[in-house]
């Protein structure tokens, strides 16, 4: 299972990538593999609030509906519209074109509850 | 209770093919090998191979076997000649469906193929509700079932077993010898495509599996998991036990009256079904195709725009159409092709059209 270097990870298998003032969020290779073919993404709305630990949208595979859990607190400042017509981007490029939202974090302490790539690799061996 | 998972004789083959294995009614079965979408298209466009060894097989023998079973099941098995197969039901006294089964007429009696989740229940039910000279044996664990389905399935089968099968009728079967291995070849399936189901002894299954895959390579064969099996049957509007049909639903409500023979002197559940037929059913199983975005799932409410008029029993995406499709029960007034209904998906009401019969048109071989 691929773990991208330099990103932060949540226990719910989301990744977080700092890009200047905003933060991109997506699901990990482990998560997309577990889901199987992603066939529907409910693209959230701009300005929606994310509350860490609470679901903010759903991704559906052929066989199941999966809630995506917010890895940090923040406000959505950009959404990946391409997922509406091409949900398979999550399978094909989960750390790149398959990003889901971009968020302005509520504070700078968000990193405290997240794992580094090395920590996430160890975590994956345990689950 | 100790919960042990049963492996089929093809378990090692699935692991070698990197299948994602799941617990399915006590059996460890492949959910998918590569991708449900790709496997689904493979069956529609070329040919797929399935391990269905979890399905139950019951052998009914004895001089009263056929008549005793005919007094139990809803369809009429007295019309079957050896080599013919019939779709049939075991019903409760109130007409609810205990199981939907395939009945194979063999010279020594009947060979029943039943749902994995119902094998023990069916076996008990038959023992308790038949009498006379009848013996029932549950041969599930000794029997493997490999299905090949899709437009190229005939070519793969003929190349592998080295004999013609084009003469074999739909819902017909024959027993063949494959280098000393006995195989029951049945022209049946659960995909809507031309295809075959092959029954053989557990120990012989790996050799046949490998041989079919090798011979199928030039016909673009791929192994198919239970995930695509479900989307394939859903596109065809075929019911799944536990979802569309249960002990709480009758064949009339499920739109399967053609498999119920009221002309028979008696069968278990006949009185209740006749009463329901006279009164008229209140709900009917229909196919649904979404017009907007979203994927319907079992349990989602169906409305007429204002009030709830039914519920989804199975839902997914159609890999061939790229649209949400479903089966569900609706009030009879809405069970008309083209009826406009809405499916409640989370907080949205997504428009859907009622479709009777196949939800997606396929190769029309079957």
């Amino acid at each position: 299972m691929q773990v991208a270097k330099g990103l932060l990870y949540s226990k719910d298998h989301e990744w977080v990538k700092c890009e200047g003032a905003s933060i991109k969020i997506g699901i990990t290779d482990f998560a997309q593999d577990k889901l199987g073919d992603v066939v529907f993404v409910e693209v959230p709305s701009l300005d929606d609030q994310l509350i860490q630990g609470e679901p903010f949208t759903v991704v559906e595979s052929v066989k199941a509906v999966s809630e995506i859990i917010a890895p940090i607190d923040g406000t959505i400042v950009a959404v990946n519209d391409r997922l509406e017509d091409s949900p398979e981007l999550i399978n094909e490029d989960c750390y790149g074109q398959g990003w889901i939202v971009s968020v302005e974090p509520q504070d700078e302490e968000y990193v405290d509850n997240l794992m580094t790539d090395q920590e996430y690799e160890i975590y994956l061996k345990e689950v | 209770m100790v919960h042990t998972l049963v492996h089929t004789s093809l378990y090692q083959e699935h692991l070698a093919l990197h299948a994602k294995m799941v617990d399915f009614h006590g059996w460890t079965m492949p959910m998918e090998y590569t991708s449900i979408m790709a496997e689904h298209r493979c069956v529609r466009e070329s040919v797929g191979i399935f391990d269905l060894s979890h399905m139950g097989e019951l052998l009914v023998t004895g001089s009263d076997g056929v008549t005793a079973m005919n007094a139990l099941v809803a369809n009429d098995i007295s019309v079957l000649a050896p080599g013919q197969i019939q779709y049939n039901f075991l019903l409760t006294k109130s007409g609810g469906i205990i199981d939907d089964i395939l009945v194979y007429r063999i010279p020594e009696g009947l060979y029943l193929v039943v749902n994995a989740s119902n094998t023990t229940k069916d076996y008990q039910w038959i023992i308790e509700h038949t009498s006379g000279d009848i013996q029932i044996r549950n041969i599930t664990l000794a029997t493997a079932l490999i299905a090949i389905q899709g437009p190229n399935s005939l070519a793969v089968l003929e190349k592998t077993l080295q004999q013609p099968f084009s003469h074999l009728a739909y819902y017909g079967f024959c027993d063949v010898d494959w280098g000393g291995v006995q195989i029951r070849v049945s022209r049946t399936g659960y995909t809507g495509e031309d295809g075959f189901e092959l029954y053989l002894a557990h120990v012989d299954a790996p050799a046949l599996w490998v041989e079919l895959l090798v011979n199928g390579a030039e016909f673009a064969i791929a192994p198919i998991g239970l995930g695509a099996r479900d989307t394939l049957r859903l596109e065809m509007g075929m019911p799944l036990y536990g979802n569309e049909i249960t002990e709480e639903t009758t064949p009339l409500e499920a739109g399967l009256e053609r498999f119920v023979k009221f002309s028979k002197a008696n069968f278990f559940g006949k009185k209740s079904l006749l009463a329901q037929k006279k009164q008229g059913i209140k709900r009917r199983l229909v196919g649904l195709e979404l017009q907007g975005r979203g994927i319907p799932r079992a349990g989602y409410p169906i409305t007429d725009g204002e009030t709830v008029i039914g519920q989804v029993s199975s839902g997914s995406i159609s890999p061939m159409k790229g649209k949400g499709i479903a089966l569900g029960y609706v009030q009879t007034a809405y069970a008309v092709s083209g009826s406009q209904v809405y499916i409640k998906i989370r907080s949205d009401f997504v428009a859907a059209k009622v479709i009777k019969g196949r939800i997606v048109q396929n190769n029309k071989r079957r």
Side-chain angles (χ1 to χ4, degrees), chain A residues 32-37 39-42 58 60-65 83-85, chain B residues 20 31-32 35-38 227 231 293-295 297 300 315-317 345-346 348:
Chain A
Q32 73 77 23
D33 182 72
K34 196 128 184 119
L35 279 171
D37 292 314
V39 291
F40 180 84
V41 180
E42 198 168 85
V58 298
E60 299 197 36
S61 66
V62 178
K63 54 186 191 287
V65 181
L83 295 178
E84 241 175 62
D85 292 324
Chain B
K20 283 185 193 165
M31 174 55 74
E32 61 179 277
S35 130
I36 294 175
M37 299 288 271
T231 51
R293 291 184 75 233
I295 299 174
R297 304 283 181 183
Y300 287 2
S316 190
I317 188 169
I345 301 181
R346 293 178 283 278
D348 295 332

Side-chain angles (χ1 to χ4, degrees), chain A residues 8-66:
Chain A
L8 295 172
Y9 293 88
S10 76
K11 289 190 171 171
D12 302 304
H13 307 286
E14 280 94 32
W15 56 260
V16 160
K17 184 185 190 178
C18 305
E19 286 192 335
S22 63
I23 295 203
K24 255 186 188 168
I25 294 171
I27 67 169
T28 67
D29 192 32
F30 174 87
Q32 73 77 23
D33 182 72
K34 196 128 184 119
L35 279 171
D37 292 314
V38 174
V39 291
F40 180 84
V41 180
E42 198 168 85
V43 176
S45 308
L46 283 177
D47 297 329
D48 274 6
Q49 296 295 313
L50 264 59
I51 301 164
Q52 190 179 53
E54 292 193 7
F56 68 95
T57 191
V58 298
V59 167
E60 299 197 36
S61 66
V62 178
K63 54 186 191 287
V65 181
S66 287

Side-chain angles (χ1 to χ4, degrees), chain B residues 147-269:
Chain B
I148 52 169
Q149 300 277 303
N152 294 343
S153 56
L154 177 64
V156 175
L157 186 71
E158 290 184 338
K159 189 179 170 198
T160 304
L161 300 186
Q162 297 283 306
Q163 49 185 293
F165 287 98
S166 55
H167 61 281
L168 190 62
Y170 185 50
Y171 270 65
F173 72 96
C174 58
D175 293 339
V176 303
D177 179 286
W178 180 57
V181 173
Q182 300 304 307
I183 304 175
R184 176 155 291 161
V185 178
S186 161
R187 202 161 200 171
T188 45
Y190 195 41
T191 62
E193 299 299 322
D194 189 14
F196 299 85
E197 295 183 300
L198 312 172
Y199 303 87
L200 71 169
H202 186 78
V203 291
D204 298 323
L208 179 62
W209 175 270
V210 169
E211 198 66 17
L212 287 165
L213 274 175
V214 168
N215 288 318
E218 66 172 292
F219 301 101
I221 201 169
I224 314 295
L226 295 182
R229 178 169 157 87
D230 193 51
T231 51
L232 285 159
R233 69 94 193 169
L234 185 61
E235 281 189 340
M236 294 300 106
M238 293 172 173
L240 171 66
Y241 195 86
N243 286 41
E244 283 69 43
I245 50 179
T246 68
E247 291 188 15
E248 313 309 319
T249 61
T250 71
L252 307 186
E253 294 167 332
L256 299 166
E257 189 180 336
R258 64 191 181 281
F259 304 106
V260 177
K261 294 297 178 304
F262 288 112
S263 53
K264 277 194 341 183
N266 202 13
F267 62 85
F268 217 84

Side-chain angles (χ1 to χ4, degrees), chain A:
Chain A
M1 225 53 71
Q2 201 203 329
V3 175
K5 298 286 175 209
L7 306 187
L8 295 172
Y9 293 88
S10 76
K11 289 190 171 171
D12 302 304
H13 307 286
E14 280 94 32
W15 56 260
V16 160
K17 184 185 190 178
C18 305
E19 286 192 335
S22 63
I23 295 203
K24 255 186 188 168
I25 294 171
I27 67 169
T28 67
D29 192 32
F30 174 87
Q32 73 77 23
D33 182 72
K34 196 128 184 119
L35 279 171
D37 292 314
V38 174
V39 291
F40 180 84
V41 180
E42 198 168 85
V43 176
S45 308
L46 283 177
D47 297 329
D48 274 6
Q49 296 295 313
L50 264 59
I51 301 164
Q52 190 179 53
E54 292 193 7
F56 68 95
T57 191
V58 298
V59 167
E60 299 197 36
S61 66
V62 178
K63 54 186 191 287
V65 181
S66 287
E67 289 186 326
I68 305 302
I69 311 295
I72 63 169
D73 290 336
T75 309
I76 296 178
V77 292
V79 295
N80 186 359
D81 291 330
R82 290 182 66 196
L83 295 178
E84 241 175 62
D85 292 324
S86 305
E88 67 279 2
L89 287 173
I90 289 186
N91 297 116
E92 291 163 4
D93 188 13
C94 67
Y95 295 117
Q97 296 179 67
W99 66 281
I100 299 172
V101 289
S102 188
V103 167
E104 191 172 290
Q106 195 158 308
D107 51 50
E108 294 303 317
E109 273 90 65
Y110 68 87
V111 290
D112 294 354
N113 298 306
L114 300 171
M115 292 175 271
T116 64
D117 51 85
Q118 290 106 322
E119 287 167 337
Y120 182 60
E121 290 213 34
I122 294 164
Y123 176 72
L124 279 183
K125 285 181 188 132
E126 290 162 4
V127 294

Side-chain angles (χ1 to χ4, degrees), chain B residues 24-242:
Chain B
F24 188 80
H25 299 296
W27 295 78
T28 306
M29 300 301 293
M31 174 55 74
E32 61 179 277
Y33 298 85
T34 55
S35 130
I36 294 175
M37 299 288 271
E39 289 167 28
H40 181 112
R41 291 190 195 106
C42 178
V43 173
R44 291 269 181 263
E45 288 158 11
S46 54
V47 56
I49 179 169
F50 305 67
D51 176 12
L52 305 176
S53 301
H54 61 305
M55 297 290 285
E57 290 86 15
L58 306 176
L59 189 62
V60 179
T61 54
S63 59
D64 298 325
V66 177
T67 43
M69 278 303 296
N70 207 27
L72 196 57
V73 296
N75 207 340
D76 185 3
I77 53 181
S78 71
V79 302
L80 289 178
Q84 292 182 327
I85 307 163
Q86 188 181 66
Y87 182 69
N88 215 321
F89 297 109
L90 291 170
L91 301 175
T92 65
K93 198 162 190 180
S94 51
I97 300 171
I98 290 172
D99 202 4
D100 63 333
I101 65 176
L102 287 184
V103 178
Y104 290 65
R105 184 70 166 96
I106 52 176
E108 60 271 37
L110 302 169
Y111 185 82
L112 311 179
V113 180
V114 308
N115 283 296
S117 54
N118 291 335
T119 309
T120 311
K121 178 178 80 166
D122 294 354
Y123 175 77
Q124 290 296 342
W125 180 264
I126 294 169
I127 284 182
E128 285 163 21
H129 295 86
T130 52
S131 55
D133 176 25
I134 174 169
Q135 290 88 44
I136 301 114
R137 274 175 58 208
N138 181 354
I139 56 168
T140 304
L141 292 177
T143 311
L145 169 52
I146 297 171
I148 52 169
Q149 300 277 303
N152 294 343
S153 56
L154 177 64
V156 175
L157 186 71
E158 290 184 338
K159 189 179 170 198
T160 304
L161 300 186
Q162 297 283 306
Q163 49 185 293
F165 287 98
S166 55
H167 61 281
L168 190 62
Y170 185 50
Y171 270 65
F173 72 96
C174 58
D175 293 339
V176 303
D177 179 286
W178 180 57
V181 173
Q182 300 304 307
I183 304 175
R184 176 155 291 161
V185 178
S186 161
R187 202 161 200 171
T188 45
Y190 195 41
T191 62
E193 299 299 322
D194 189 14
F196 299 85
E197 295 183 300
L198 312 172
Y199 303 87
L200 71 169
H202 186 78
V203 291
D204 298 323
L208 179 62
W209 175 270
V210 169
E211 198 66 17
L212 287 165
L213 274 175
V214 168
N215 288 318
E218 66 172 292
F219 301 101
I221 201 169
I224 314 295
L226 295 182
R229 178 169 157 87
D230 193 51
T231 51
L232 285 159
R233 69 94 193 169
L234 185 61
E235 281 189 340
M236 294 300 106
M238 293 172 173
L240 171 66
Y241 195 86

